[in-house]
Amino acid sequence: MRKLVIDLGHGGYDPGAVGKGGTKESDVVLKIGKYLESMLKEVDLDVRFTRMSDKYVSLGDRVEFANNFGADYFLSIHINSASDSSVRGVEVWKYNNDDKHLNEFCSSLCNEISGIFNIRNRGVKLSKGLYVLKNTSMKAALLEVDFISNNFWSTPSSFTYSCNFSSSIASFLNPSPIRSSIKSVNSWLQCINHLLNVIPFVLLLNFSGYIS
């Protein structure tokens, strides 16, 4: 069974970015993580989280956890921030371009999130300085879901957004019997919407196909 570590950024005395109304990045990604935990019980992946409470976990401990677990994949979830409150958009960071499947996964992730939520696709970016990407020994990506500095994240709809994002990941990873008969992204979306009635679905791509 493949192993996936989902890293929920910040926590404890490190709130990460703080939006208008005091919305904290650490709280939003933790909410996403808790939904994911409950939804990913039956997936054919051994899924672990770097934190599941509002506690501080150092970058070194996050990396050590993933490496010691022997994870095949590492996905770190964050929310960006900017001085301009009108800025929105999704971006994914990786360490290099060496892995074709990871490249395709990151690109598709940006495309789908930006398209469904009608936010800017800020693209896939490289960083040699992001500690969790540099020091993990498996295929790793860091997702910046959106900008918490945007006014959107100070409204009640942001709760629905985070829940839908969680549902998207869970459904995307869930090896449903129907999944084997799906021939296209569009038909996959239709089946998921019909079965689970959770909209929108963000990660409309085959996780095991892109990250193999």
Side-chain angles (χ1 to χ4, degrees):
M1 181 182 294
R2 294 288 187 173
K3 298 178 179 181
L4 166 66
V5 167
I6 297 177
D7 174 43
L8 306 176
H10 308 284
Y13 62 79
D14 173 17
V18 179
K20 293 186 176 181
T23 306
K24 296 188 291 186
E25 177 183 4
S26 57
D27 288 343
V28 175
V29 297
L30 178 59
K31 188 178 298 180
I32 290 172
K34 288 185 174 181
Y35 273 88
L36 285 174
E37 183 186 38
S38 65
M39 293 176 180
L40 295 177
K41 299 292 187 183
E42 306 301 324
V43 299
D44 190 25
L45 281 170
D46 190 353
V47 182
R48 306 288 175 90
F49 295 84
T50 54
R51 69 179 181 96
M52 285 306 297
S53 64
D54 186 23
K55 68 176 183 179
Y56 175 77
V57 181
S58 71
L59 296 178
D61 286 344
R62 294 168 193 264
V63 167
E64 183 179 11
F65 174 81
N67 289 343
N68 289 345
F69 177 49
D72 298 289
Y73 325 118
F74 180 93
L75 178 63
S76 188
I77 301 175
H78 291 257
I79 304 178
N80 220 331
S81 183
S83 57
D84 183 349
S85 62
S86 68
V87 174
R88 294 195 68 184
V90 55
E91 59 191 35
V92 177
W93 292 83
K94 55 194 178 78
Y95 187 71
N96 56 42
N97 288 318
D98 291 350
D99 190 284
K100 175 184 176 181
H101 295 298
L102 183 60
N103 295 344
E104 293 175 349
F105 170 80
C106 293
S107 178
S108 296
L109 183 55
C110 273
N111 289 337
E112 296 301 334
I113 291 178
S114 65
I116 293 172
F117 286 99
N118 194 30
I119 58 177
R120 179 184 172 190
N121 182 348
R122 299 175 63 88
V124 179
K125 303 181 179 183
L126 299 180
S127 173
K128 299 295 185 182
L130 289 173
Y131 189 92
V132 295
L133 300 184
K134 180 178 180 180
N135 294 285
T136 44
S137 57
M138 68 293 302
K139 297 172 184 178
L142 188 149
L143 169 65
E144 296 276 10
V145 177
D146 196 1
F147 280 73
I148 201 168
S149 48
N150 188 275
N151 292 332
F152 170 84
W153 284 97
S154 63
T155 66
S157 60
S158 64
F159 174 81
T160 302
Y161 182 95
S162 62
C163 294
N164 286 341
F165 179 76
S166 307
S167 300
S168 303
I169 297 177
S171 301
F172 162 67
L173 297 177
N174 189 359
S176 164
I178 286 182
R179 186 168 186 152
S180 61
S181 66
I182 300 303
K183 302 302 182 183
S184 70
V185 169
N186 287 335
S187 58
W188 171 231
L189 174 61
Q190 292 167 4
C191 287
I192 289 298
N193 284 341
H194 176 69
L195 290 173
L196 301 180
N197 194 31
V198 178
I199 301 173
F201 283 88
V202 181
L203 307 182
L204 303 178
L205 50 106
N206 189 316
F207 187 86
S208 59
Y210 282 111
I211 303 183
S212 61

